[in-house]
Amino acid sequence: MVACPLQKGVAAAITQFVYQRGGTIKDYDQYVNTDSRRFFARMEWTRGGDASSQDNICRDFIAELVEPYDMEWQLHFPEHGARVAICVTRELAHLYDLLLRTISGQWNATIALIISNHPDLAPEAERFGIPYHYFPLNKANKREQEALQVDLLQQNKIDLVVLARYIQIVSEAFITPFENRIINIHHSMLPAFVGAKPYHQAHARGVKLIGATSHYVTVELDAGPIIAQDVLQVDHKKSPERLISMGRDLETKVLARAVGLHLNRRVWIDQGRSIIFD
Amino acid sequence: MVACPLQKGVAAAITQFVYQRGGTIKDYDQYVNTDSRRFFARMEWTRGGDASSQDNICRDFIAELVEPYDMEWQLHFPEHGARVAICVTRELAHLYDLLLRTISGQWNATIALIISNHPDLAPEAERFGIPYHYFPLNKANKREQEALQVDLLQQNKIDLVVLARYIQIVSEAFITPFENRIINIHHSMLPAFVGAKPYHQAHARGVKLIGATSHYVTVELDAGPIIAQDVLQVDHKKSPERLISMGRDLETKVLARAVGLHLNRRVWIDQGRSIIFD
Amino acid sequence: MVACPLQKGVAAAITQFVYQRGGTIKDYDQYVNTDSRRFFARMEWTRGGDASSQDNICRDFIAELVEPYDMEWQLHFPEHGARVAICVTRELAHLYDLLLRTISGQWNATIALIISNHPDLAPEAERFGIPYHYFPLNKANKREQEALQVDLLQQNKIDLVVLARYIQIVSEAFITPFENRIINIHHSMLPAFVGAKPYHQAHARGVKLIGATSHYVTVELDAGPIIAQDVLQVDHKKSPERLISMGRDLETKVLARAVGLHLNRRVWIDQGRSIIFD
Amino acid sequence: MVACPLQKGVAAAITQFVYQRGGTIKDYDQYVNTDSRRFFARMEWTRGGDASSQDNICRDFIAELVEPYDMEWQLHFPEHGARVAICVTRELAHLYDLLLRTISGQWNATIALIISNHPDLAPEAERFGIPYHYFPLNKANKREQEALQVDLLQQNKIDLVVLARYIQIVSEAFITPFENRIINIHHSMLPAFVGAKPYHQAHARGVKLIGATSHYVTVELDAGPIIAQDVLQVDHKKSPERLISMGRDLETKVLARAVGLHLNRRVWIDQGRSIIFD
């Protein structure tokens, strides 16, 4: 994926980069913001007979594209599956859904470890042979525990952190090293119902829709770039318990969509807004 | 439609009321709130050979049902189509949609008059032969103009007032005589984006859904019982102008749904929440 | 759940059955088909202090309700969680989703065994400690293998059979003993695209929606009562592979919804149509 | 809009065409079919100070883009609003919705005339001052009446024909002169329920969704390129009459979406599939 000022020949140069090496483009998508006159593109290709090392491809990519066109860029090779960490509290559904998608090969990714502020889900981690790191958290130890968590994530070369109903507000020290690489699921339509117990609020107000939002985590609470959102129609017959259950399914689906878009390198962040190449 | 404490034989009594008069039930729906132990039912029937006057039916209904079972109730006869007033500013789409549905007989209702704080749509009213009342509004004259509007509505025996993108906050003096009989369309998912320019806010935040909410108007702004809500998926490519256009279609649809539910007597308000018999 | 001719006092009698035993109704829903004048109700209650045996409750239920009102009926006690068998071929996603929902206690059910015509998923069954029965199938042995499968299901007192992308057409001998207790997921909007490769068909026709349908299995192929259906918007950019992946998520969701409705006893079959108490 | 073989510099050439004339690109979208290695793009621009005649712009467009890159192409100028003919039978809703969108300026189009095989809607045409052409149709006169209709459409320089619940099968002689310029609304999810009374079929089968499809008309019935589709969730409580009413709203919405995409030049047909630049 690349972003650069809109300029003559840039799309041609990108696709040509593949063709002159004998590669085949599997997917190409671009977006031109005609206000800011910036150009954004995502390209996915197979290399064909090109046996260059990854380092050489990167070097050429920089020389032929990044520098001449003043690009911001990301280059990913399928040989490196993403290493994912999942932070949970006690909710199992989101974790299972993420496990399934990695185990079954839907995503080119490995769940390298699980972090939790509760011990409850350790047996599930064991069932799947995934290291489970229990960090009891309270106000007094939060700062030092988060420092340990960041160490753990960095030592394990984690590419993506997923907060899968992790009932903790993570602080700036945790967020900064993983900018645009921490994905959260919020159990409502942001920007509404910021805060707690949205399903009870929804029931009391008689709302006809419940929603879920998955977004990158930024220091400002629940204000990061939105990756995916969806809603369900509900009615007055649904108790708060049923809304919670329906909401759980919706959250799982929206989180999977957001994580999948990220892992398939379909999300680009431009000035706090997400561009989704879907 | 009736509401009463849950008690032995009430559903039977209601349906029996029809059968013993030789009528045929076309539609029957009920809801039991098992928390408050209250019973709610909606029944629609054809009278068959019963030639009783409406007054006699009402009297029997009260004697046999309302009093024995301590009911709140509404009884409607199809001979009385609803008389609707529409308040507009300059937006045409919502008005047309409402006109179509009455003209084509989708609803058992007549649009008796149009009120506006702008003269722009007067020619459209004329095209359909509907009286158009222009009330210029400013801070100084608002109180007296609203008094005149309420007089106009009452003299015309208006059953339902629809605020179809009426860009005015109506005051308590206007609302109180028409409790649960004023329907508004709000161009966002309530309870989010309370206030102005939601589509611009949505674009700036990169939200993936836009919404619309139709609700009864209460003195507290945008906080009345919700009748209908819906959303549309959008993406980063949509300019604020396209969001406005897509939003207009969504608003029209949601408003029509809410007004239709009201006119077909499918909405009951219970402690600030709407029960929709759909 | 009960179904009976519409008659005086039946709703009252049902709710009274609970109240006179000191129970509390958690959920009550009914539907009156005013064409056939039949009454359908679903009630969920907690017993309170009532210490009667299940046999006594059944006996009273029959004496006080079933016989006087000529009811068809089902009575379920939460002490008996449903015993579910899942038939799979090679697809993992649907299986995992069903496993999660039983393991996490979302459903009052146990997955008692897995049947497959392929050995591939045996290690996953082992991971969860669930017996995996591999039945190689071909034209010559199908009749006898199905007989063995039916034996296995009956010996294990299976209440519900879920065909979770089981790529086999089951025959009448398999279906008959489990009438309205076999749920299938079909990877399209029935009644369209009956048959194979719907996502490739969809791509070639340029359709804008893909769908999934979950239904009870009847002897007529893909024609049983529909329990749940849903669709996704797609566009020309989606390759058949992406449609398959999106379709898999949709199927999983629709199948879970159907199985959940069945297990929570929210589905009643009336003359080949499903009535969903939701 | 253009389509051409994928080749070096084509995207740059297109955008450059605007910039070198001092224009501003309002919207640019492209799609690369990496299987067929064909390139498709849609660009919308404002001309800025460029005072060239339309003829000159066309000439340059051909010389600089169409010929060098072997393009299929369409070029539209906002000065020429589209001239639309609507064919109706007796259904009013779709007609009104189309009228509103042209009258209110949502679309850069004029409804030039209405054709009908029934006289019923003539008064509505008169209300809006639109010529209404009544063509009684039967087996004997169909061929000659259709010839007259084609003459009428051509004399009125009609760009787009909308079949808005026109209950007639149009023949090849009608279709051929308006290839990819006749839009129909089909009251079901194609490719399902080809044929009559889909809502009654849907009710009888207990389907949980009803759909609508808008497509270009081709000689093969209901098999033309699909432009827009959508569905609504329904349940067992809905009578065929309510399904018809809900379906009418859905059809209106889907037809408006399809016509809007066409009029805003967002649809390109490639080998029988629609590419939607949305």
Side-chain angles (χ1 to χ4, degrees), chain B residues 87-91 116-118 120-121 132 164-167:
Chain B
C87 298
V88 295
T89 296
R90 268 183 291 215
E91 176 63 55
S116 182
N117 57 336
H118 278 270
D120 303 32
L121 298 181
Y132 188 87
R165 306 291 293 123
Y166 182 57
I167 313 300

Side-chain angles (χ1 to χ4, degrees), chain B residues 177-252:
Chain B
F178 295 97
E179 192 193 359
N180 291 339
R181 294 192 293 141
I182 308 175
I183 295 179
N184 184 42
I185 179 69
H186 188 86
H187 50 177
S188 87
M189 285 285 298
L190 291 173
F193 289 134
V194 176
K197 294 235 171 189
Y199 299 121
H200 289 81
Q201 286 184 55
H203 181 75
R205 274 299 308 276
V207 302
K208 304 305 175 202
L209 295 171
I210 57 172
T213 302
S214 191
H215 61 98
Y216 289 111
V217 173
T218 51
V219 175
E220 186 185 349
L221 182 64
D222 293 337
I226 292 169
I227 312 171
Q229 295 192 292
D230 208 350
V231 297
L232 279 178
Q233 295 273 357
V234 297
D235 62 35
H236 59 275
K237 292 184 183 174
K238 303 292 179 290
S239 64
E241 289 68 34
R242 286 210 70 197
L243 293 182
I244 288 169
S245 163
M246 296 170 72
R248 186 196 296 118
D249 283 0
L250 183 66
E251 291 163 19
T252 302

Side-chain angles (χ1 to χ4, degrees), chain C residues 179-198:
Chain C
E179 195 194 356
N180 290 339
R181 294 193 292 143
I182 308 176
I183 295 179
N184 185 42
I185 179 70
H186 188 87
H187 51 177
S188 87
M189 284 285 296
L190 291 173
F193 289 133
V194 176
K197 294 232 169 192

Side-chain angles (χ1 to χ4, degrees), chain A residues 246-267:
Chain A
M246 295 171 72
R248 186 195 295 118
D249 283 1
L250 183 66
E251 291 163 19
T252 302
K253 175 186 157 193
V254 170
L255 179 59
R257 177 165 159 74
V259 173
L261 288 170
H262 179 97
L263 290 176
N264 289 312
R265 316 300 180 180
R266 293 180 178 278
V267 189

Side-chain angles (χ1 to χ4, degrees), chain A residues 233, chain B residues 230-232 253, chain C residues 188-190 208-212 229-233 250 253, chain D residues 185-190 192-193 199 207-214 228-234 246-247 249-251 253-254 257:
Chain A
Q233 294 272 357
Chain B
D230 208 350
V231 297
L232 279 178
K253 174 185 157 194
Chain C
S188 87
M189 284 285 296
L190 291 173
K208 304 305 176 203
L209 295 172
I210 56 172
Q229 295 192 293
D230 209 349
V231 297
L232 279 179
Q233 295 273 358
L250 183 65
K253 174 185 157 195
Chain D
I185 179 70
H186 188 87
H187 51 176
S188 87
M189 284 285 297
L190 290 174
F193 289 132
Y199 299 121
V207 303
K208 304 305 175 203
L209 295 171
I210 57 172
T213 303
S214 192
Q229 296 192 291
D230 208 350
V231 297
L232 279 179
Q233 295 273 357
V234 298
M246 295 170 73
D249 283 1
L250 183 66
E251 292 162 20
K253 174 186 157 194
V254 170
R257 175 164 160 74

